[in-house]
Amino acid sequence: QVQLVESGGGLVQPGESLRLSCAASGSIFSISAMGWYRQAPGKQRELVAVVGQGGSPDYGDSVKGRFTISRDNAKNTVSLQMNNLKPEDTAVYLCNAYIMSGVDNKWGHYWGQGTQVTVSS
């Protein structure tokens, strides 16, 4: 019933910017942390950024100073502003959220389908 849907991926050149968005929908009672992960071919999935319900963010070392995560608790959305993109940022970006279902009141991790970000000249 709970669903996460990402948007905003695409093809950009190095140095350009992109903004990703993720919306959670369905039977949701509460959302704690929301974040973004990425996975490139041949590499493990890695944390990009995460933000708790209180709004305090944490970032992976490789994106600090370039990416900004934000969330809107009222709308159940999380966004990722990506500036000064580099070729090594190329990956599938996945939205993640820890959510209590409104159906059974149980906590669980939910993932979006992912959106492709390609940085190339």
Side-chain angles (χ1 to χ4, degrees), residues 22-66:
C22 172
S25 62
S27 184
I28 298 171
F29 183 81
S30 182
I31 302 177
S32 59
M34 303 186 78
W36 293 90
Y37 290 74
R38 67 187 183 187
Q39 189 163 25
K43 296 183 178 180
Q44 291 186 323
R45 185 174 297 179
E46 66 173 340
L47 173 70
V48 177
V50 63
V51 59
Q53 194 174 56
S56 181
D58 289 311
Y59 298 93
D61 289 340
S62 64
V63 307
K64 289 180 179 177
R66 299 188 297 122

